[in-house]
Amino acid sequence: MNARDTVLGRIRAALADVPADEAPQDVPVARDYLADHAGADPTGLFADRVADYRAEVVRTAPADAKQAVAEALRRRGVRSLVVPPGFPEEFLPDDGPWQRLGDDPQLTVAELDAADGVLTTAAVGIAVTGTIVLDTGPGQGRRALTLLPDYHLCVVREEQIVGDVPEALAALDPARPLTFVSGPSATSDIELDRVEGVHGPRTLVVVLVGAEPVV
Amino acid sequence: MTTGTGDGLVWLDTPAFPEAARTALADTQLRGNLRRATGTIRDKRLAVTGELADWEQLRAAGAALKRRTLRHLDCYLVELEESVTRAGGTVHWAADADQANRIVTELVRAAGADEVVKVKSMATQEIGLNEALAEAGIAAYETDLAELIVQLGGDRPSHILVPAIHRNRGEIQGIFRREMAAWGRPAPEGLTDEPRALAEAARLHLREKFLRARVAVSGANFAIAGTGTVGVVESEGNGRMCLTLPQTLITVMGIEKVLPAWSDLEVFLQLLPRSSTGERMNPYTSTWTGRTPGDGPQDFHLVLLDNGRTATLADTVGRQALACIRCSACLNVCPVYERTGGHAYGSVYPGPIGAVLTPQLAGVDKAPSLPFASTLCGACYDACPVKINIPEVLAHLRAEVVESKRRSHRAPTPEALVMRAAAAALATPRRLSAAQRSARLGSHLLARKGRIGRLPGPLRAWSDSRDSPQPPAETFHAWWRRTHPGETRSGESR
Ligand code: SF4
């Protein structure tokens, strides 16, 4: 008998107490939890929660977005910037003191490792958890692009923000590789003392494009 | 050295729990580290779970989904195999540790590699994969910071989430300075004991390994039967490195980790980070489905591991332990864990969940003292995001230990005596007596007493003192004085 038959046979024997006519759906699962914990202002909550992870959040109106991106890159002193295919022109600074690296043809691992930063969009933002989700769609690039450079600037449009995790999962396509990013990489492995920045980008900046917040 | 079913699940050179606990209790440094660490993480967890008004409903849904999955595990695994295969991955089945190790070794060889990078996987620790690979001449590099500390220190993990929780910054600094050079890039000159500096040293040390790695071995937090999607939940980005950069990815996953549908993740992605690190969401969660042309590994293998899980499944009481999502909340609230640390459990799976999982996976005769490594206070049950009734399973396994000893005609008296000593050691001081006075815990004790009653025979003395809401007569201090004549407890702070 091969291992597959062995394991499946053992499982069936172990489940002898489960009635033969019981279907998976017969085991009740109550879905009475809340679909959303976000409240009235998901955008504001998203901004707060992202900042809570010690990521930088910049809120800007659509007309000023390009400027906000350029300023953030200058503040950081970025000299080489990875810009994935499909990044929207409307958010792309026209020029700056950086060299632009497209990923077509694909950059090598060494080239990515040497780049100062990466500029992307996102697929979805989750307000309650302060998460951005990347699905490798246009403007996001393959996964390595947002992993190796030490600085990640992500442009999120207000209308991409959903309240909570259930809505986000419903909006995403699991067939694509997905990366849920909540703040910069971090570790608490040394005396549970949180340190931001281990292997992934140590600095995450989110430029949030939408109506200006009412102050 | 590990042996038995060819795996690293139970460390047979570790003494039985009571003996190991006694050693750990004498280590004031360890106890100080643990008290601080578990206290911090407990507070964080309570803060973020308290934010969700429907936390109890989420727990109930998590428990129900796991129950549904386990009762129909064969169907979901077959469905998972189909979906992963359809998406371009290859599924392997392993009935035990040896089979799993052989599959992985052959896959690494087929990829022409003599080293692999690894992202934290309890399943591969359980099967002793690193040792098996070493025997085949393949180097396995742990990339999780805590795992790296454990590996470089020639040490063993002592916590599910923070495997090096027993090490403080000074010890880690020493390990990095001494050992890094032998494994690759040495520690930077003048490395301090600042956590930031230590994390930076790990980043530099591992970078070259990530960039040149051709094969990665990972665990999995879940796999979705319906879509074939596999996921890893992490913090540091070492997971992303392993899942993205190499050409070949081998994921070793216990069969119980399958979930029915993509939408079911909405429950677990809320439960897990909050219970585990006490965050609303962990920094990185990666999901992938088979392979994606032009992005990430082009060769993906999923190894489905039994290794004692089906035996656990066969026990209708013990089965619930397979619902565990390895959040480690039960460790952080456990008065016994806080005082003994993880090593005393002598297993890859420490703490309350280890006390029920290890004897079931390896057989109660391999770890007969573990079901007794608890005060049955019920804190683990209250904390568990998937509502595993650990005290219930412990009581059930205690009865099994007694039965197995009776069958083998071994006189249980000596072990019962050791356990009695440990009972006193673990029961006090202050912290536990305070816990035992709390009304909430008291109600658990009463409910349980109605169900299990006393243990028979020579273990009665143990169960009597354990099940009683009253602290035993002998305090830790008294026990210490009695068992360590002539020693002072310098450095003992509380
Ligand atoms: S038993 Fe429950 S609390 Fe303990 S690690 Fe598993 S899921 Fe977490």
Side-chain angles (χ1 to χ4, degrees), chain B residues 247-415:
Chain B
Q247 273 306 296
T248 301
L249 172 61
I250 306 165
T251 300
V252 181
M253 181 183 95
I255 50 175
E256 80 282 16
K257 289 276 185 285
V258 65
L259 286 174
W262 172 250
S263 59
D264 295 334
L265 269 188
E266 69 187 27
V267 174
F268 296 99
L269 283 186
Q270 294 190 73
L271 288 175
L272 179 56
R274 285 186 158 88
S275 302
S276 180
T277 50
E279 294 166 302
R280 298 186 183 103
M281 193 63 94
N282 50 288
Y284 298 133
T285 295
S286 298
T287 70
W288 69 97
T289 303
R291 62 194 164 89
T292 306
D295 188 347
Q298 293 305 299
D299 199 10
F300 169 56
H301 298 269
L302 179 63
V303 182
L304 297 174
L305 176 72
D306 177 352
N307 203 39
R309 285 161 177 77
T310 47
T312 309
L313 189 67
D315 184 327
T316 52
V317 177
R319 162 184 303 168
Q320 56 184 309
L322 294 176
C324 175
I325 56 174
R326 309 277 189 267
C327 73
S328 73
C330 58
L331 278 63
N332 300 328
V333 299
C334 178
V336 175
Y337 178 87
E338 188 187 64
R339 302 173 61 71
T340 64
H343 289 153
Y345 295 81
S347 162
V348 169
Y349 301 106
I353 184 61
V356 297
L357 206 51
T358 306
Q360 294 200 90
L361 291 177
V364 284
D365 51 323
K366 291 240 172 56
S369 60
L370 279 186
F372 298 88
S374 164
T375 66
L376 298 182
C377 78
C380 48
Y381 182 23
D382 288 342
C384 179
V386 288
K387 299 181 80 163
I388 298 172
N389 190 338
I390 295 177
E392 180 189 40
V393 183
L394 282 168
H396 170 74
L397 292 175
R398 286 179 183 187
E400 258 184 42
V401 171
V402 174
E403 177 59 20
S404 115
K405 289 215 189 281
R406 202 181 52 74
R407 269 198 311 268
S408 63
H409 303 296
R410 271 185 24 223
T413 320
E415 185 164 15

Side-chain angles (χ1 to χ4, degrees), chain B residues 173 176-177 180-181 185-193 197 200-201 204:
Chain B
Q173 176 196 26
F176 279 10
R177 278 186 175 165
M180 270 185 171
R185 182 170 172 157
E189 283 290 313
L191 176 66
T192 69
D193 67 356
E200 169 73 9
L204 294 171

Side-chain angles (χ1 to χ4, degrees), chain A residues 1-37 45 48-50 52-54 103 106 109-110 112-114 126-136 141-152 164-202 204, chain B residues 33 36-38 40-41 44 51-54 57-58 60-61 64-65 67-68 70-78 81 93-96 99 120 143-147 149 161-165 167-170 172 176 193-196 198-200 202-204 206-207 210-211 227 229 235-238 240-241 243-245 255 262-267 269-270 274 279-289 292 294-297 304 306-308 310-311 313-316 319:
Chain A
M1 203 157 57
N2 65 28
R4 181 183 190 275
D5 294 343
T6 305
V7 175
L8 287 172
R10 285 179 187 169
I11 293 171
R12 286 169 190 142
L15 294 172
D17 62 303
V18 176
D21 59 350
E22 180 184 294
Q25 302 306 320
D26 296 341
V27 183
V29 176
R31 306 272 184 177
D32 53 355
Y33 49 85
L34 302 171
D36 190 353
H37 299 91
L45 184 64
D48 289 349
R49 294 274 158 101
V50 173
D52 228 30
Y53 295 120
R54 291 181 224 173
D103 190 40
Q106 287 200 350
V109 163
L112 279 173
D113 192 39
I126 310 175
V128 167
T129 58
T131 303
I132 53 176
V133 189
L134 307 171
D135 72 355
T136 72
R142 62 198 168 94
R143 287 172 288 172
L145 267 49
T146 46
L147 178 59
L148 290 172
D150 203 15
Y151 174 91
H152 180 192
D164 215 336
V165 173
E167 206 184 328
L169 291 173
L172 291 161
D173 175 6
R176 312 179 70 102
L178 301 177
T179 309
F180 295 67
V181 177
S182 308
S185 73
T187 183
S188 300
D189 280 353
I190 301 163
E191 296 181 10
L192 291 184
D193 199 356
R194 187 177 162 102
V195 175
E196 274 83 22
V198 196
H199 304 295
R202 286 183 287 190
L204 174 69
Chain B
N33 291 356
R36 259 191 315 280
T38 55
T40 308
I41 207 163
K44 284 177 69 186
E51 281 179 6
L52 303 188
D54 58 338
Q57 285 89 323
L58 283 166
L65 280 166
R67 189 162 178 274
R68 174 183 284 176
L70 289 173
R71 286 176 76 85
H72 298 277
L73 190 58
D74 51 339
C75 309
Y76 287 122
L77 288 172
V78 169
E81 179 183 43
W93 300 72
D96 57 29
Q99 284 184 9
K120 191 159 73 175
T143 65
D144 177 78
L145 178 50
E147 297 282 0
I149 296 165
L161 175 73
V162 198
I165 200 168
R167 296 290 196 185
N168 65 24
R169 60 184 74 193
I172 296 166
F176 279 10
D193 67 356
E194 273 305 300
R196 188 164 299 281
L198 296 170
E200 169 73 9
R203 175 183 172 101
L204 294 171
L206 288 172
R207 198 74 171 186
F210 287 134
L211 297 189
T227 60
T229 309
S235 293
E236 296 170 10
N238 60 314
R240 293 181 65 192
M241 293 277 179
L243 302 172
T244 309
L245 298 182
I255 50 175
W262 172 250
S263 59
D264 295 334
L265 269 188
E266 69 187 27
V267 174
L269 283 186
Q270 294 190 73
R274 285 186 158 88
E279 294 166 302
R280 298 186 183 103
M281 193 63 94
N282 50 288
Y284 298 133
T285 295
S286 298
T287 70
W288 69 97
T289 303
T292 306
D295 188 347
L304 297 174
D306 177 352
N307 203 39
T310 47
L313 189 67
D315 184 327
T316 52
R319 162 184 303 168

Side-chain angles (χ1 to χ4, degrees), chain B residues 96-218:
Chain B
D96 57 29
D98 288 342
Q99 284 184 9
N101 287 335
R102 215 173 311 129
I103 292 166
V104 177
T105 306
E106 277 163 22
L107 289 171
V108 177
R109 282 206 179 119
D114 59 5
E115 61 176 30
V116 300
V117 285
K118 283 187 67 199
V119 51
K120 191 159 73 175
S121 148
M122 307 210 65
T124 63
Q125 272 169 31
E126 174 192 323
I127 61 177
L129 177 66
N130 290 7
E131 292 75 14
L133 289 175
E135 264 171 44
I138 298 162
Y141 300 117
E142 297 292 348
T143 65
D144 177 78
L145 178 50
E147 297 282 0
L148 176 71
I149 296 165
V150 167
Q151 185 173 48
L152 294 180
D155 203 353
R156 282 171 178 162
S158 69
H159 189 278
I160 291 177
L161 175 73
V162 198
I165 200 168
H166 56 288
R167 296 290 196 185
N168 65 24
R169 60 184 74 193
E171 294 174 289
I172 296 166
Q173 176 196 26
I175 292 169
F176 279 10
R177 278 186 175 165
R178 260 192 328 272
E179 305 295 338
M180 270 185 171
W183 291 78
R185 182 170 172 157
E189 283 290 313
L191 176 66
T192 69
D193 67 356
E194 273 305 300
R196 188 164 299 281
L198 296 170
E200 169 73 9
R203 175 183 172 101
L204 294 171
H205 177 77
L206 288 172
R207 198 74 171 186
E208 58 177 21
K209 295 192 165 59
F210 287 134
L211 297 189
R212 70 166 188 241
R214 291 162 62 187
V215 181
V217 176
S218 86

